[in-house]
């Protein structure tokens, strides 16, 4: 996966697993942390994994369009031969892999440089503020 190609290299990675469209103070503080890390010389990646909850796809047809007012006699399923019926589950597999429940988002995980499966990441449980994130990462 792309996740495994990015995490575990020569730099530590601080990863936020969050809703697909995160917003609010916690999101803003995380973005400030990313700016700080980019301006520093730290060997640190600041990453975000956006998870699309299953409920955001309810009411959509197989082709991803809503069927409001559609006449079913004219609908065509263009994905009949598609082997990946769960492709819409954007990044839920990453959240599940690290035990992050979709009802407790966002979660913040620190993967040290050289991290490899099956090592567990360190879970950040402190305040969701730039300064607190920075102290944790020191």
């Amino acid at each position: 996966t792309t996740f495994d190609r990015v995490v575990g290299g020569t730099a530590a990675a601080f990863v936020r697993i969050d809703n697909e469209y995160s917003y609010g103070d916690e999101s803003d503080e995380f973005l400030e942390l990313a700016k700080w890390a980019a301006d520093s010389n730290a060997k640190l990646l600041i990453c975000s994994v956006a998870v699309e909850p299953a409920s955001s796809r309810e009411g959509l047809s197989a082709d991803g369009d809503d069927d409001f007012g559609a006449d079913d006699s004219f609908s065509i399923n263009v994905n009949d031969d598609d082997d990946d019926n769960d492709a819409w589950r954007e990044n839920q597999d990453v959240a599940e892999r690290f035990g992050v429940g979709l009802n407790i988002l966002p979660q913040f995980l620190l993967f040290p440089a050289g991290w490899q499966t099956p090592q567990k990441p360190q879970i950040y449980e402190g305040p969701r503020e730039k300064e607190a994130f920075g102290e944790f990462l020191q």
Side-chain angles (χ1 to χ4, degrees):
T1 65
T2 302
F3 185 88
D4 292 313
R5 292 181 189 140
V6 173
V7 174
T10 59
F14 189 55
V15 178
R16 170 183 67 178
I17 299 179
D18 200 356
N19 291 312
E20 185 176 23
Y21 300 106
S22 61
Y23 61 91
D25 293 339
E26 288 181 1
S27 182
D28 293 344
E29 292 289 328
F30 189 77
L31 292 175
E32 289 300 316
L33 173 71
K35 290 177 189 175
W36 169 82
D39 291 338
S40 75
N41 290 326
K43 284 193 166 195
L44 176 67
L45 298 173
I46 304 295
C47 309
S48 187
V49 175
V51 179
E52 180 180 349
S55 62
S56 69
R57 300 292 275 175
E58 290 176 5
L60 297 182
S61 64
D63 60 3
D65 293 330
D66 69 46
D67 289 330
F68 180 74
D71 180 349
D72 287 340
S73 64
F74 294 102
S75 73
I76 299 171
N77 184 355
V78 296
N79 294 323
D80 281 339
D81 296 328
D82 187 4
D83 290 334
D84 188 3
N85 293 330
D86 288 337
W88 59 268
R89 295 181 57 196
E90 301 268 340
N91 294 320
Q92 286 185 12
D93 59 330
V94 176
E96 290 170 7
R97 180 175 165 190
F98 298 108
V100 176
L102 300 181
N103 58 336
I104 57 168
L105 297 176
Q107 288 293 302
F108 300 89
L109 309 173
L110 176 62
F111 296 85
W115 175 86
Q116 295 178 13
T117 302
Q119 294 173 322
K120 297 206 181 281
Q122 186 175 357
I123 299 170
Y124 175 76
E125 297 179 302
R128 311 295 172 87
E129 300 169 352
K130 176 188 154 195
E131 291 78 19
F133 288 142
E135 288 175 18
F136 173 75
L137 296 170
Q138 297 279 338

